[in-house]
């Protein structure tokens, strides 16, 4: 069996020239960009925008990485576009806030349509037989994924695989949380999405990553690396080893290997460039235990509410803005002003909560984090 290749290049700055050199070096190690892209092809770059914010907050793929990859694709003679469907709002607005619109303008490339999409069937999938995919992706010849290295409460890690979730337009994304409340089913859906889209190449911005309460409200943490691979599972597994997170804990790893998307086993991955061991950050703040399965029928609400992790609001940080209430995808809402008093923070009803963490992901104040109930803490020590 051929091993999956993952290239690691050290880069400790977002200086454009340094990033350009680092991206070129990483692609050279993989055999050159010409292995993945042909002149004249329509290629869409997919950065991680989530909710557009200043690049210094490290929520989004940095414009320096975006520009370096864009320049090289243009140098190959590709017709380059870019896009992402954020968690809230239209793509263009969020791209502007992430300074990716300005980067795109400097490259002279256009925003593709990620706000609307078309239905596509996927007969070879593990679970989901049909997706609505953004027009910008369907109208391209290939996609180059530009994920950001960050923590995530649902999948534990967001990187090359989860980045493609933004190829589903708008609020259709949140419907997958409702349809697939079990984290392992949700992860299988992400894998199916990837086997449908098949990114040509993934280049991860891990120069300054995000630890703790990611993917939006964590802390920036210097990891000083860029990672390159055509195998999104191997790329994520390698990034996880660097932040001392076992790839087995990441929910997309096992279904990703089962679906033939890639491998997370170290013995099947050829690491090029830097060695992993000297880069490992043992105190990187991440949840290092696998999520508990919690789909209906597999666990009663009684047990779920006393053992499973759940979102919790820090009242001191909450500004009562209501974003969490609007973004909660279940009906009736699992976070709301149940007393009707909107001058106070909303509260959660955990019986209704599917632990999708849309509220945590979108809270603009970072007021929602993941907590484990007391019984859950005791249980995990047994
Ligand atoms: S989104 Fe955050 S700040 Fe806004 S109401 Fe919810 S918890 Fe409070
Ligand atoms: S309360 Fe939060 S975690 Fe629970 S279902 Fe609503 S958005 Fe998801």
């Amino acid at each position: 069996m051929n091993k999956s290749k993952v290239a690691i290049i050290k880069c400790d700055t977002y200086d454009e020239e340094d990033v350009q050199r680092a991206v070129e070096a990483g692609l050279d190690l993989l055999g050159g960009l010409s292995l993945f892209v042909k002149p004249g092809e329509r290629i869409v770059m997919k950065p991680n925008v989530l909710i557009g914010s200043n690049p210094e907050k490290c929520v989004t793929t940095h414009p320096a990485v975006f520009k370096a990859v864009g320049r090289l694709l243009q140098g190959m003679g590709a017709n380059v576009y870019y896009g992402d469907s954020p968690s809230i709002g239209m793509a263009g607005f969020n791209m502007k806030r992430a300074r990716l619109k300005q980067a795109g303008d400097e490259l002279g490339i256009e925003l593709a349509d990620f706000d609307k999409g078309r239905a596509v069937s996927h007969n070879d999938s593990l679970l989901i037989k049909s997706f609505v995919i953004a027009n910008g992706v369907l109208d391209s010849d290939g996609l180059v994924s530009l994920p950001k290295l960050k923590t995530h409460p649902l999948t534990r890690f967001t990187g090359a695989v989860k980045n493609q979730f933004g190829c589903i337009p708008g609020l259709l994304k949140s419907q997958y949380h409702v349809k697939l409340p079990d984290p392992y089913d949700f992860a299988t859906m992400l894998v199916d999405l990837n086997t449908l889209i098949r990114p040509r190449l993934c280049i991860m911005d891990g120069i300054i990553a995000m630890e703790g309460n990611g993917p939006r409200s964590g802390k920036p943490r210097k990891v000083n690396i860029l990672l390159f691979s055509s195998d999104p599972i191997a790329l994520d597994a390698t990034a996880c080893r660097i932040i001392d997170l076992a790839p087995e804990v990441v929910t997309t790893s096992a279904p990703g290997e089962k679906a033939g998307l890639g491998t997370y086993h170290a013995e099947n991955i050829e690491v090029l460039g830097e060695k992993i061991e000297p880069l490992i950050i043992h105190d990187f703040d991440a949840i290092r235990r696998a999520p508990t399965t919690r789909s209906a029928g597999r666990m009663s609400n009684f047990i779920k509410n006393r053992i499973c992790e759940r979102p919790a609001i820090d009242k001191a940080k909450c500004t009562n803005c209501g974003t969490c209430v609007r973004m909660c995808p279940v009906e009736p809402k699992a976070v709301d002003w149940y007393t009707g008093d909107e001058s106070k923070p909303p509260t959660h009803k955990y019986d209704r909560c599917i632990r999708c963490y849309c509220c945590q992901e979108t809270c603009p104040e970072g007021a929602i984090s993941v907590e484990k109930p007391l019984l859950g803490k005791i249980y995990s020590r047994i």
Side-chain angles (χ1 to χ4, degrees):
M1 170 187 165
N2 286 338
K3 289 187 175 188
S4 288
K5 292 181 182 173
V6 178
I8 308 175
I9 298 290
K10 264 193 186 170
C11 185
D12 61 4
T13 166
Y14 283 115
D15 174 84
E16 284 197 15
E17 286 182 12
D18 289 344
V19 172
Q20 189 75 45
R21 269 194 294 274
V23 171
E24 286 174 19
L27 290 173
D28 283 349
L29 284 175
L30 287 187
L33 192 54
S34 60
L35 287 184
F36 308 100
V37 174
K38 300 280 171 267
E41 283 189 315
R42 186 181 167 105
I43 300 295
V44 65
M45 291 197 293
K46 160 68 181 75
N48 183 344
V49 174
L50 183 70
I51 296 165
S53 57
N54 185 323
E56 278 69 51
K57 293 198 166 169
C58 295
V59 176
T60 54
T61 307
H62 198 280
V65 177
F66 175 89
K67 278 167 79 174
V69 178
R71 276 191 209 105
L72 291 172
L73 287 168
Q74 287 178 315
M76 279 292 305
N79 296 316
V80 188
Y81 297 80
Y82 68 103
D84 188 13
S85 172
S87 297
I88 307 175
M90 306 297 270
F93 172 74
N94 283 279
M95 289 287 177
K96 221 176 217 172
R97 288 182 51 165
R99 282 201 240 131
L100 291 165
K101 165 82 170 64
Q102 295 85 325
D105 289 348
E106 284 175 44
L107 292 173
I109 61 177
E110 283 179 24
L111 189 60
D113 177 14
F114 274 61
D115 292 326
K116 296 194 191 72
R118 313 194 285 277
V120 194
S121 55
H122 188 13
N123 298 325
D124 300 329
S125 65
L126 294 178
L127 184 66
I128 305 296
K129 298 298 172 199
S130 165
F131 284 96
V132 173
I133 302 290
N135 291 327
V137 178
L138 295 179
D139 295 339
S140 72
D141 294 310
L143 180 138
V144 172
S145 185
L146 304 177
K148 182 89 178 168
L149 195 169
K150 295 188 290 182
T151 50
H152 197 287
L154 180 61
T155 47
R156 300 317 200 206
F157 174 83
T158 172
V161 176
K162 190 152 186 309
N163 194 34
Q164 273 61 260
F165 196 39
C167 295
I168 296 175
L171 292 174
L172 284 175
K173 286 191 285 299
S174 59
Q175 291 311 307
Y176 282 101
H177 288 293
V178 179
K179 278 190 231 158
L180 306 167
D182 184 275
Y184 296 93
D185 291 341
F186 186 80
T188 303
M189 177 277 295
L190 290 174
V191 164
D192 285 341
L193 182 61
N194 273 264
T195 54
L196 179 65
I197 294 171
R198 292 269 175 201
R200 297 267 184 100
L201 187 61
C202 306
I203 301 175
M204 179 181 282
D205 171 11
I207 297 176
I208 308 182
M210 178 177 281
E211 65 177 353
N213 197 24
R216 187 188 188 190
S217 303
K219 287 191 190 140
R221 176 83 188 251
K222 288 198 97 180
V223 180
N224 298 329
I225 49 162
L226 290 164
L227 294 157
F228 306 76
S229 186
S230 58
D231 175 345
I233 299 291
L235 188 143
D236 283 352
T238 305
C240 285
R241 290 188 174 102
I242 290 170
I243 60 167
D244 200 17
L245 177 66
E248 293 76 10
V249 164
V250 177
T251 52
T252 47
S253 296
E257 189 149 312
K258 187 175 172 193
L261 180 62
T263 179
Y264 64 96
H265 287 96
E267 64 272 24
N268 296 329
I269 301 173
E270 183 183 357
V271 175
L272 306 165
E274 300 292 331
K275 298 216 174 328
I276 292 177
E277 286 70 23
L279 298 172
I280 296 175
I281 303 174
H282 293 289
D283 65 349
F284 194 93
D285 185 5
I287 303 173
R288 291 192 160 73
R289 51 184 183 272
T292 315
T293 185
R294 49 183 175 256
S295 68
R298 292 188 210 174
M299 181 182 281
S300 75
N301 259 342
F302 181 85
I303 300 287
K304 180 182 87 172
N305 293 333
R306 279 154 189 81
I307 290 186
C308 287
E309 292 153 349
R310 57 196 191 185
I313 296 176
D314 179 342
K315 292 184 180 148
K317 288 186 184 169
C318 177
T319 57
N320 316 330
C321 71
T323 303
C324 55
V325 177
R326 285 193 295 280
M327 294 308 294
C328 179
V330 298
E331 284 298 340
K333 299 277 182 187
V335 60
D336 210 339
W337 288 284
Y338 297 107
T339 60
D341 182 358
E342 297 189 12
S343 67
K344 295 203 174 102
T347 51
H348 283 94
K349 280 201 176 174
Y350 293 116
D351 276 0
R352 298 174 182 172
C353 175
I354 57 170
R355 273 67 162 178
C356 66
Y357 295 104
C358 293
C359 54
Q360 179 265 357
E361 186 171 298
T362 53
C363 171
E365 307 300 330
I368 306 181
S369 57
V370 182
E371 72 165 18
K372 200 155 181 114
L374 184 63
L375 196 60
K377 285 183 195 156
I378 296 167
Y379 180 74
S380 57
R381 280 195 213 114
I382 296 171

